């Protein structure tokens, strides 16, 4: 049998096809072209305005196909502007996150109806100030007898991102800074319950970037997100990488996708308090972390295991620090209202009741039958290990405290309650062996000692900040480098200035 070459295919005129598609979409010209031509010394405007354009949408799209097409166009434009273009774009995202934090934070709070207003504002501000940018990019060099090899970190292209309701615009802000710093563009399928603030934030960011450097749609957003649009983003040929931030269902869907996925999945962070801890300091830290934004953070303290010899003192320390202790009866009343069973058969499990999710401590106290004082941030109470608050990621400011025989038991129960998510764990102790034992067993991405959970993101601790902490896929607290691919450039025998002259 002979193999004859296939008949040469009719090569379509790609530009013609693009022109036809754009004509059909009626988007051949920009409805909101920048009022002033970009005034960059490096000629940004000239680059950005060449070719067919989706500019003028300010990143807001009704279809995944359109959004990906626009994002690809923006990616190609960004590539031509080098690191300086990325820096400029990121500077606008940061400025808007900071300057408009009050207005956008209010919007997010009004739309999602969960968490605390002051923290909605603060989260945006802090992401604007502290999420890692272009400065995080580095190159590695191998230099030897055979010359040089340089490893550089290149963009993937268009990234598809899924964001949670717990921090709608903050997650988009942090993702956009890191992804654009890495040279990528992003199409976001936001949580439907936080889509309006996502739309407004993205519109403002794109508009400012477009006015300055002439590139629109660096951040594209699906205005009416559904599970179908999420699936179509996962499967789109133009999307080179997926980044998912959310709970178990979406984390599982991303892990099963055929694309490379960076998965910032759920957590259920346990706290251990042993007999060597500074109890007042531990109480203040636990309240700060667990009450932040009404316990919506994935890293927030969710259940506490205290060794018996200091259990009563720890409960007293919590009260001194301002938390409200519920009686056994009040804990039962709250549990029955706050935790519901979902799923069928083997999948049946406790979950937070949507009505109470992210609500104020005062609301939880009232539901439990207690009287809250003004400014109450957290309610807590003693439970046994089988209380459904222990295995559930409650995302509301009530913490169950479990009395444990000793540190070994506390660490074991902490391990079981974390479900192997390997997300976040916290210990209050001055016993290095207990710290080490817990760190090794739980094997979490963040492990905080003697501080509030947020210290693990550099807030009151060292390090940098991101609201996408990649847990099952292992990238950790995401940075621009997370969204890059390694490329190696090798030069044989030359350029290395060390060595003997020939
Ligand atoms: P969620 O899982 O309900 O929703 C997240 C997003 O995924 C939404 O946009 C939703 O529409 C989408 N989604 C849900 N199921 C999907 C599926 N099968 N296919 C495609 N998309 C799907 O989560 P949430 O309530 O918005 O956020 C809270 C959860 O997110 C918590 O579990 C929390 O721990 C986790 N979280 C993790 C991190 C992290 O960095 N690891 C950060 C924030 C939140």
């Amino acid at each position: 049998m002979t193999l004859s070459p296939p008949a040469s295919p009719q090569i379509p005129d790609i530009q013609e096809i693009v022109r036809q598609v754009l004509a059909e979409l009626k988007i051949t010209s920009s409805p909101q072209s920048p009022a002033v031509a970009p005034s960059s010394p490096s000629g940004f405007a000239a680059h950005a305005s060449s070719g067919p354009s989706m500019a003028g949408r300010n990143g807001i799209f009704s279809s995944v196909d359109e959004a990906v097409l626009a994002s690809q166009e923006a990616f190609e434009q960004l590539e031509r502007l080098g690191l300086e273009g990325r820096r400029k774009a990121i500077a606008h995202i940061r400025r808007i996150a900071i300057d408009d934090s009050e207005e956008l934070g209010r919007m997010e709070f009004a739309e999602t109806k969960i968490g605390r207003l002051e923290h909605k504002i603060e989260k945006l501000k802090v992401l604007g100030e502290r999420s890692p940018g272009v400065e995080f990019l580095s190159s590695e060099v191998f230099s030897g007898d055979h010359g040089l090899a340089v490893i550089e970190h290149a963009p993937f292209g268009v990234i598809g991102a899924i964001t949670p309701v717990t921090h709608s615009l903050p997650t988009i802000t942090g993702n956009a800074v890191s992804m654009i710093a890495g040279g990528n563009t992003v199409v976001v399928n936001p949580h439907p319950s936080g889509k309006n603030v996502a739309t407004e934030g993205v519109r403002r960011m794109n508009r400012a970037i477009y006015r300055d450097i002439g590139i629109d749609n660096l951040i594209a957003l699906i205005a009416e997100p559904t599970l179908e649009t999420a699936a179509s983003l996962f499967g789109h040929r133009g999307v080179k990488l997926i980044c998912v931030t959310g709970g178990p269902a979406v984390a599982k869907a991303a892990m099963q996708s055929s694309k490379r996925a960076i998965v910032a999945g759920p957590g259920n962070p346990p706290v251990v308090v042993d007999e060597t801890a500074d109890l007042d300091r531990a109480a203040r830290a636990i309240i700060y972390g667990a009450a932040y934004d009404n316990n919506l953070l994935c890293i927030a303290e969710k259940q506490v295991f205290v060794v018996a010899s200091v259990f009563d003192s720890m409960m007293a320390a919590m009260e001194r620090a301002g938390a409200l202790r519920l009686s056994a009866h009040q804990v039962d009343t709250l549990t029955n209202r706050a935790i519901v069973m979902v799923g069928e058969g083997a999948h049946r499990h406790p979950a937070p009741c949507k009505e109470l999710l992210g609500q104020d401590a005062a609301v939880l106290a009232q539901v439990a039958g207690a009287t809250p004082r003004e400014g109450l941030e957290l309610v807590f109470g003693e439970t046994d290990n089988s209380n459904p608050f222990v295995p559930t990621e409650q995302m509301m400011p009530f913490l169950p405290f479990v009395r444990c025989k000793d540190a070994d038991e506390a660490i074991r129960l902490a391990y079981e309650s974390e479900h192997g998510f390997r997300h976040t764990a916290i210990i209050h102790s001055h016993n290095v062996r207990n710290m080490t034992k817990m760190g090794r067993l739980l094997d979490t991405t963040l492990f905080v000692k003697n501080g509030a959970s947020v210290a693990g993101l550099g807030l009151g601790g060292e390090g940098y900040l991101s609201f996408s902490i990649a847990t099952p896929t292992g990238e950790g607290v995401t940075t621009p480098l997370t969204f890059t691919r390694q490329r190696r450039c090798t030069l044989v025998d030359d350029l290395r200035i060390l060595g003997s002259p020939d």
Side-chain angles (χ1 to χ4, degrees):
M1 195 174 80
T2 55
L3 288 174
S4 54
S8 96
Q10 289 275 328
I11 299 173
D13 180 344
I14 300 292
Q15 289 210 340
E16 184 50 36
I17 292 171
V18 172
R19 260 193 299 278
Q20 281 172 17
V21 171
L22 290 174
E24 276 174 31
L25 292 169
K26 295 192 176 55
I27 48 173
T28 45
S29 65
S30 150
Q32 291 173 35
S33 303
V36 190
S39 57
S40 157
S42 41
F44 286 138
H47 286 305
S49 59
S50 61
S53 180
M54 298 281 262
R57 300 293 200 91
N58 297 146
I60 312 306
F61 294 89
S62 53
S63 93
V64 171
D65 280 345
E66 266 189 287
V68 174
L69 189 63
S71 192
Q72 176 63 30
E73 180 188 66
F75 169 68
E76 286 162 17
Q77 292 169 338
L78 183 67
E79 232 181 357
R80 294 195 286 265
L81 302 191
L83 288 177
E84 190 52 23
R86 299 184 201 176
R87 273 194 201 98
K88 287 192 170 209
I90 290 167
H92 288 291
I93 299 171
R94 291 190 191 287
R95 180 181 50 74
I96 287 165
I98 296 167
D99 291 355
D100 298 359
S101 59
E102 173 99 26
E103 192 187 346
L104 293 169
R106 278 184 190 287
M107 239 181 245
E108 176 139 1
F109 185 62
E111 183 183 8
T112 61
K113 300 181 178 60
I114 53 174
R116 289 167 58 180
L117 174 60
E118 68 266 39
H119 297 146
K120 300 284 178 228
I121 296 169
E122 190 174 68
K123 286 192 296 186
L124 274 172
K125 222 181 236 169
V126 99
L127 277 160
E129 285 163 359
R130 302 193 51 178
S131 45
V134 173
E135 69 284 355
F136 252 70
L137 298 174
S138 59
S139 305
E140 292 88 54
V141 176
F142 291 83
S143 169
D145 290 346
H146 296 297
L148 287 178
V150 181
I151 305 213
E152 294 196 285
H153 298 274
F156 275 90
V158 177
I159 299 177
I162 307 274
T163 53
V165 68
T166 45
H167 337 283
S168 180
L169 188 55
T171 308
I172 294 173
T173 302
N175 279 178
V177 169
S178 279
M179 291 168 183
I180 294 171
N184 309 280
T185 53
V186 56
V187 178
V188 184
N189 197 74
H191 194 289
S193 305
K195 67 181 180 187
N196 295 335
V197 66
T199 302
E200 184 53 28
V202 162
R203 181 181 288 129
R204 288 181 192 196
M205 289 166 183
N206 279 310
R207 195 185 289 148
I209 296 168
Y210 185 33
R211 283 203 179 120
D212 184 12
I213 66 172
I215 305 180
D216 197 4
N217 309 316
L218 283 179
I219 316 164
L221 185 109
I222 308 303
E224 292 300 334
T226 59
L227 285 183
E228 288 69 39
T229 55
S232 120
L233 193 60
F234 278 1
H236 201 290
R237 307 179 49 174
V239 172
K240 303 294 184 239
L241 178 73
I242 295 168
C243 176
V244 156
T245 308
V250 69
K252 192 169 165 206
M255 299 288 282
Q256 287 169 349
S257 138
S258 57
K259 293 226 162 73
R260 165 137 191 252
I262 291 163
V263 180
N268 192 37
V271 185
V272 165
V273 181
D274 78 8
E275 60 279 12
T276 68
D278 174 339
L279 300 184
D280 283 313
R281 179 183 162 128
R284 285 193 301 274
I286 290 170
I287 293 172
Y288 186 74
Y292 195 89
D293 210 17
N294 282 344
N295 200 248
L296 292 181
L297 296 183
C298 58
I299 59 166
E301 292 80 352
K302 298 284 192 297
Q303 57 280 343
V304 187
F305 302 92
V306 187
V307 300
S309 61
V310 293
F311 188 87
D312 294 328
S313 311
M314 183 63 200
M315 299 301 261
M318 288 294 291
E319 288 186 280
R320 273 197 302 281
L324 174 68
R325 181 173 184 175
L326 301 182
S327 67
H329 175 69
Q330 289 167 338
V331 169
D332 284 348
T333 309
L334 179 64
T335 307
N336 289 336
R337 278 285 307 281
I339 306 289
V340 292
M341 296 303 287
V342 298
E344 296 296 330
H347 297 293
R348 200 161 162 73
H349 64 278
C353 151
K354 287 246 153 49
E355 244 176 86
L356 293 179
L357 196 141
Q359 298 309 303
D360 288 345
V363 173
L364 301 188
Q366 276 156 357
V367 165
T371 310
R373 62 163 181 79
E374 188 71 28
L376 180 69
E377 293 190 288
L378 187 79
V379 285
F380 72 107
E382 180 171 2
T383 71
D384 57 28
N385 191 49
S386 61
N387 181 290
F389 265 110
V390 174
T392 304
E393 190 188 16
Q394 67 268 42
M395 295 188 275
M396 61 184 82
F398 168 80
L399 284 193
F401 276 61
V402 179
R403 194 185 290 261
C404 304
K405 188 167 65 153
D406 53 22
D408 282 354
E409 184 182 63
I411 292 170
R412 182 175 57 77
L413 295 181
Y415 169 68
E416 286 168 8
S417 74
E418 215 267 331
H419 307 298
F421 289 145
R422 299 200 292 179
H423 194 297
T424 298
I426 301 112
I427 188 169
H428 293 276
S429 168
H430 288 98
N431 180 327
V432 175
R433 289 228 166 114
N434 286 344
M435 292 179 187
T436 310
K437 186 168 185 186
M438 183 167 174
R440 285 187 182 156
L441 181 66
L442 273 77
D443 199 14
T444 47
T445 306
L446 301 182
F447 183 38
V448 179
K449 284 143 298 227
N450 297 324
S453 53
V454 290
L457 287 187
L459 304 172
E462 293 304 321
Y464 54 87
L465 173 74
S466 160
F467 271 20
S468 291
I469 303 153
T471 39
T473 48
E475 293 82 359
V477 183
T478 52
T479 76
L481 283 175
T482 310
F483 304 106
T484 58
R485 31 190 282 274
Q486 284 198 12
R487 296 184 60 194
R488 182 186 294 198
C489 182
T490 303
L491 184 72
V492 179
D493 289 344
D494 272 321
L495 214 63
R496 186 174 191 256
I497 54 174
L498 299 180
S500 48
D502 43 29

